Amino acid sequence: LSKLDPKIVIKVADLASSGNFSTAPESFVLMATSGWITAGGCTYRQAVDNPHLSSGTTSVHGWWETSATSGCPAYSNVDTFLQAFFCNMWGCSYVTIASDSRDVLAGGGSGRRGNARNSCLNSSLISYRGAVDVDLINQNDPGGLTYSPEVGVNCYPA
């Protein structure tokens, strides 16, 4: 499982017959922000909050921030991924169970972020993490994901 592409969503139903979601060791960071990234005349960073319960789902948000003199496009494409810790006979790994892609203004907050979410089957404690990839519109930029800390959420994926 360690070589799964984090940008590919795997249906929970497809995983159910081969293993179980579980908990993993947790880190103690509140959210994750990449370092400053420079692409062309744009200076920005990627940000993702911790997965959390929200209206009967596990939810994670991704966004982007710019510097005061950024030279960035007005909008960027933000891809947000929700991953759950999954184990089967081949080992344990984070698998992407939900994703969201949208073009948003910088800054985060309502209307300025992506939201990947997945429903709960029951309230078993499962380890989750989020990931975000920001792609500047009409500008080349480096690839790469910024991951949130691993957190336990009382929500077994449905």
Side-chain angles (χ1 to χ4, degrees), residues 9-10 12 15 21 82-84 95-99 117-118 128 157:
V9 176
I10 299 174
V12 172
L15 294 169
F21 290 96
L82 176 64
Q83 298 183 323
V95 295
T96 301
I97 60 170
S99 67
R117 59 180 40 215
N118 193 79
Y128 288 92

Side-chain angles (χ1 to χ4, degrees), residues 8-143:
I8 295 176
V9 176
I10 299 174
K11 293 180 181 177
V12 172
D14 292 344
L15 294 169
S17 64
S18 66
N20 293 296
F21 290 96
S22 184
T23 56
E26 291 186 28
S27 59
F28 297 98
V29 180
L30 296 178
M31 61 175 246
T33 304
S34 70
W36 288 105
I37 301 166
T38 301
C42 176
T43 302
Y44 69 100
R45 59 187 178 188
Q46 305 179 141
V48 61
D49 66 0
N50 290 358
H52 53 278
L53 280 176
S54 176
S55 302
T57 68
T58 300
S59 175
V60 67
H61 300 96
W63 65 96
W64 69 300
E65 302 170 342
T66 61
S67 67
T69 57
S70 70
C72 294
Y75 287 83
S76 282
N77 179 263
V78 175
D79 293 325
T80 308
F81 305 94
L82 176 64
Q83 298 183 323
F85 195 69
F86 181 78
C87 298
N88 64 16
M89 61 190 270
W90 297 283
C92 298
S93 180
Y94 277 93
V95 295
T96 301
I97 60 170
S99 67
D100 179 68
S101 182
R102 62 183 71 194
D103 296 343
V104 296
L105 294 165
S110 182
R112 292 181 177 222
R113 62 188 181 187
N115 180 214
R117 59 180 40 215
N118 193 79
S119 298
C120 304
L121 181 65
N122 61 48
S123 61
S124 295
L125 181 65
I126 302 300
S127 289
Y128 288 92
R129 72 179 181 185
V132 65
D133 179 27
V134 173
D135 293 314
L136 303 177
I137 295 175
N138 297 321
Q139 279 186 249
N140 289 331
D141 62 84

